[in-house]
Amino acid sequence: MKPAHRRHVQQRAWIIFAGRADHGWQRWLRPGFRHCFAAIEDAQGWMVLEALTGRLLLARLDVPSGFDAPAFYRRAGMVPVGPFPLDETTLGPTRGPLPLNCVSVCRAVLGPHAPFAWTPYGLYRALSSRD
């Protein structure tokens, strides 16, 4: 029997791309694609998983039932891509260690079959070509 937190829960993820540069080195990244994070929808609502400088943020959004988070992010000038169903039974090859950054966190959310990318724009291109 699986532990309670591993029981099958229907979830789908959206990867949200944003363009603001909080650090000087981010100016080398493509404008509009300098950061990414995951918005995950389940029966209870929305969660956001985001790699920030020095910490990992996981937050349950306090929004009404049926809230359209991708449309909210789109209106805020961000680029949502998805939805991607999250299936915990999907197995695949494990990847070697990568630095903890926004791209590696989004790839971890998507699972072992997520496309390889180093930058937010590279992940955007790989995910967009799958649609």
Side-chain angles (χ1 to χ4, degrees):
M1 179 165 204
K2 291 183 180 180
H5 69 279
R6 298 263 336 252
R7 291 195 182 120
H8 188 68
V9 176
Q10 293 283 14
Q11 293 180 318
R12 34 186 225 158
W14 291 77
I15 306 301
I16 314 298
F17 297 91
R20 202 171 102 212
D22 294 331
H23 302 286
W25 64 266
Q26 287 178 315
R27 289 186 181 86
W28 292 99
L29 298 173
R30 186 181 200 87
F33 297 91
R34 292 178 171 154
H35 182 65
C36 59
F37 61 93
I40 304 166
E41 182 183 25
D42 61 19
Q44 286 74 41
W46 288 91
M47 292 179 289
V48 171
L49 181 61
E50 185 169 12
L52 301 173
T53 302
R55 69 185 183 125
L56 188 61
L57 172 72
L58 175 63
R60 171 75 64 184
L61 300 181
D62 186 20
V63 294
S65 178
F67 181 75
D68 189 357
F72 169 80
Y73 290 122
R74 200 173 288 112
R75 286 190 306 271
M78 300 177 195
V79 179
V81 177
F84 302 99
L86 302 181
D87 184 8
E88 69 183 47
T89 61
T90 301
L91 299 176
T94 58
R95 307 214 190 249
L98 292 173
L100 180 64
N101 60 26
C102 62
V103 174
S104 64
V105 167
C106 289
R107 289 182 61 237
V109 166
L110 296 175
H113 299 292
F116 181 79
W118 285 104
T119 65
Y121 184 67
L123 183 60
Y124 168 77
R125 286 187 49 188
L127 292 175
S128 296
S129 69
R130 287 184 167 192
D131 292 342

